[in-house]
Structure formats: structure tokens, C-alpha cells
Amino acid sequence: PKRMLLIVFGLVVLLGSSCGKLTDLDGDLGRDWPNASSALLTRPPDQVGREGNLVGERRVYYVATSGSDANPGTQTQPFRTIAHGASVLTPGATLYVMGGTYAESLHNAIPGGTSWSQPVTVAAYPGHTVTIRPNSGADRVLHFQGTTTTYIVVEGFVLDAVNVTYDAVKITAGSTSGPAHHIRIKDCEVKSAPKQGILVTAGSNDNEFIELDVHDNGTTDFHHGFYIGSDRNLVEGSLIQRNAGWGVHVYSEMVSTS
């Protein structure tokens, strides 16, 4: 099957092994992608419950550096860690993370949704700066694997990989669990990984990378802002700069651009 990376506005379709360095892919871009429209956050924070977590038919939870994982996860009694907050999520639920720096590595810690209309969403609370920076020894900031790890939205974070061993983000297959897929990372800064900024391996298809700032990743020409080895991935409205190798490397077929 053809492996496709689509960069919308100044449309660039990449079918292949490696493309040139892509930088300054910024701008106020519109979206017209078949599966991309319905899973962005649909309710502003002032419409979600402060004491109860049920909003309509959706559940909303909160994490704050002042919280406790013994709390119920409401806005006034938030959880302390993103990992614990993520552990209670079900399809259609949202976890808002309040401002601060969280020393966590989310290794397959976010459960999957069932569709783009019922995703699991983990998002920085609007207007807050939220950094996820694992301590030394962690493999990655975010790691997704397994066929049930799907329809997940991660939005609004600084993903700081300065202390990790490998990549900032990896979307992949487990040895027995199959590949994760349909992962959307939006409005995030992805930086300082010693290897790949975002690594997507074969079989982990149909992911979306929207309005990202991917920079200063890698130490050799084999390390890229994006290293993508799967099909039907979307990169849109992103700034990709100062990575050691290519801005976007698509493996392993021919390249076509228009």
C-alpha cells in the first residue's frame, strides 16, 4: 500500500522514503480531511461542571500540581498526576491539565476512544502553559501502542524530551498487542529529544499532527522531526525546524510532491 503524508495548504503529498527538510510550515490553515473534524474540544471550560464530572453525556476531569490522586478529579478537587487522571477516562471523556510542569512519562497510559465522535482527550486547560518533562531514565514523553490505543486526542502541551533516552513521541505496535492508530496530537511543542521528535512505525496508520512546533530534536542525520513509516498520516499547519536530520522523513517508498 502507498504510504501517504499529507501537508495541507500548499498541498504536499509524500509517498516515499525521505523528503527534503521542511521548515516554517506555519500559517492559519483550514482543514478538509475526512476523519479530522469532529474530535476537537467541543465545550469551553466554563460550561463544564466544577463539582460534578458529568457534563451532558461526557465526563470531564482535572489535574493540577496542587491536587491529589485521592481526589475525585473535579475542578475544585483535581487529581495530581496526568497518568492517574488518564486511567479513569472512558470514550468521550476529557482530562484537563492545569498549568505547571509534570515530571511524567505517559507510556501507554491513555486509554483509547471508539471513534472521532467518542475520543479520549487529554488537553492543557485553555490559557495555561503545561509542560510534560519526564525525569532522567524515561524512554519517551508519550508512547502509544496496541490496537485498543486509538482515537486519542492530545492537545496543548509542551512535550519536553530533554531527559528521555529515545524519542519525544512514539506511535507503534506492541510485540503481541498490534499497532496503535488514529492518534491526534494538536497544538503541542515537541522538543529536545535525543532521537526522533515523533516516531510512527509500520501499521500505526491514520494519525494527525496539527499545528505543532517540532524543533531541536536529534543528534545525528538519522534523527528527524518526524520519522513516519505508516500510511495515511496528516501533518498540517506545523512549524518544523532545527532538527538534526530531515524535518519530515517518510519511509520507504518514492516521493511525489505537488
Side-chain angles (χ1 to χ4, degrees):
K2 292 183 177 179
R3 290 172 177 162
M4 180 178 296
L5 175 73
L6 195 61
I7 300 179
V8 179
F9 222 167
L11 184 64
V12 181
V13 180
L14 305 171
L15 308 172
S17 57
S18 65
C19 67
K21 291 179 184 278
L22 301 180
T23 60
D24 294 332
L25 301 179
D26 53 353
D28 190 9
L29 305 185
R31 294 170 59 198
D32 184 14
W33 183 250
N35 299 315
S37 61
S38 61
L40 301 182
L41 301 181
T42 57
R43 287 182 172 86
D46 59 359
Q47 294 183 21
V48 301
R50 291 178 178 272
E51 299 300 334
N53 291 43
L54 189 62
V55 180
E57 295 182 354
R58 294 179 181 267
R59 288 199 169 270
V60 178
Y61 299 90
Y62 298 85
V63 171
T65 57
S66 59
S68 167
D69 285 343
N71 285 343
T74 60
Q75 191 168 8
T76 55
Q77 293 181 285
F79 298 129
R80 173 61 182 87
T81 63
I82 301 171
H84 180 76
S87 73
V88 307
L89 298 178
T90 55
T94 295
L95 179 68
Y96 283 115
V97 184
M98 312 303 280
T101 298
Y102 295 80
E104 300 186 52
S105 172
L106 301 176
H107 186 101
N108 228 36
I110 305 173
T114 55
S115 67
W116 283 134
S117 61
Q118 287 287 301
V120 164
T121 300
V122 178
Y125 191 85
H128 287 219
T129 299
V130 182
T131 299
I132 306 176
R133 182 189 300 133
N135 291 325
S136 295
D139 287 347
R140 297 172 180 89
V141 182
L142 301 179
H143 181 107
F144 304 93
Q145 71 178 53
T147 54
T148 61
T149 305
T150 183
Y151 296 108
I152 294 171
V153 180
V154 176
E155 182 172 352
F157 295 99
V158 178
L159 304 177
D160 186 349
V162 66
N163 295 326
V164 309
T165 304
Y166 301 110
D167 320 297
V169 178
K170 185 175 183 180
I171 304 172
T172 191
S175 58
T176 60
S177 58
H181 56 92
H182 288 89
I183 307 297
R184 177 181 296 154
I185 301 176
K186 182 178 188 297
D187 191 28
C188 289
E189 181 180 2
V190 181
K191 67 176 184 176
S192 304
K195 294 192 175 181
Q196 318 300 336
I198 296 175
L199 173 62
V200 186
T201 66
S204 289
N205 303 325
D206 300 293
N207 306 293
E208 300 172 5
F209 307 102
I210 301 167
E211 297 173 4
L212 304 184
D213 182 2
V214 181
H215 65 91
D216 296 294
N217 296 288
T219 56
T220 76
D221 284 346
F222 297 101
H223 303 146
H224 315 294
F226 288 84
Y227 189 116
I228 296 177
S230 67
D231 302 325
R232 300 183 303 276
N233 295 284
L234 171 70
V235 173
E236 179 183 277
S238 294
L239 178 65
I240 307 166
Q241 58 180 335
R242 299 195 308 272
N243 298 287
W246 300 109
V248 180
H249 178 86
V250 182
Y251 192 84
S252 60
E253 294 178 335
M254 294 177 60
V255 175
S256 175
T257 63
S258 62

